[in-house]
Amino acid sequence: MHSKARYLLMILVIFLVSYLIYFLSGLAFGLAHNNRSAVDQWHAQSVVVSKFANKNLTASQLTQATLPKSLQTSDTRQPVSESMGVSEARKVKTDVTVMGIHFNGFLAPTLIKGHQAKSAHQIVVDESLLTGKLRMGDKITLNGSTTKYQIVGVTQNNRFSTLPVVFMPLHSYQQFKQSPGLVNAIVIKDKQHIKSNDKFQQLSTKTFIQNLPGYSAEVSTFALMIGTLFVIIAFIIGIFMYIMTIEKTPLYGVMRAQGISSRQLVGQLMGQSFLLGVVGIGLGLIANLATTAVLPSSMPYYASGWLTTGFSAGLLVMVLLGAAVSIVRIIRIDPLDAIGGRA
């Protein structure tokens, strides 16, 4: 009876830890995705920013007129400007990221509705901005200006620094920011090497993303939390299985005396642990799926199939590693000592 209760307790522990890992990983992946999804949509190899910007897009400023020929606009090189802003419509204000681009270049976002901006006061927005009463075709203002911009297109998965992106023509952006001829970066689609100088530097897209404000700290914090949970579950299972092995020592001694090999006993132990792991992890996965079904759309949660699969396999490995602590004790069991038959 006590053994059954302990097995149920182990399943409960595995369930709770696995559920927490799935949920935290979804939040971590969701926050990271919301930080970088607009950059991912560029499908670019590198980004050129100002040397004095500390690899930060917002802090970078490049003067288009003074850029070398290797950075002039082409099919594989496109300028981009970016800043934080506040959109307002029907007296509702929303924090946004505003980006100025050429809509005839590869930085133009993929649309799920409407068309690309064709005139100065037309914009394309991420679908997450269309909440409440705001709809495609409506007009918004930015940063309290009197200029109105009409939403003519809607895109998906285009957020930067967790904020929905508002795309507008580059010349409109420069008028909006009163920065004629200035851009924040040049995005390079293919594997071109641009010789850096004292004014600008080329960053790989991966390096550029790692230097987004707060991105690395956010990802490493969640990674440490999740990694700690993996270690905790191995320790808990190891302690449980070791205690149960000690209690079952007389039984194992009798089984050894009957000719059952240590290999068979170890196989039984690992089989039990595998089954406990599968049941606990499976329940955790089901609970996580149920939770994601009721989460509000505003929650930065992103379920990744390959990440979930990897964590499930990792959890199962940690459960088996925890159980493996008892293998040495089982192997060293002496049948006579275990059943009290040695004087």
Side-chain angles (χ1 to χ4, degrees), residues 304-324:
S304 169
W306 64 267
L307 199 63
T308 300
T309 302
F311 280 149
S312 299
L315 280 166
L316 195 54
V317 168
M318 297 307 287
V319 168
L320 294 176
L321 284 176

Side-chain angles (χ1 to χ4, degrees), residues 7 9 11 123 213 220 226-227 277 317 326 335:
Y7 282 131
L9 187 58
I11 289 175
I123 56 174
S220 59
I226 293 169
V317 168
S326 301

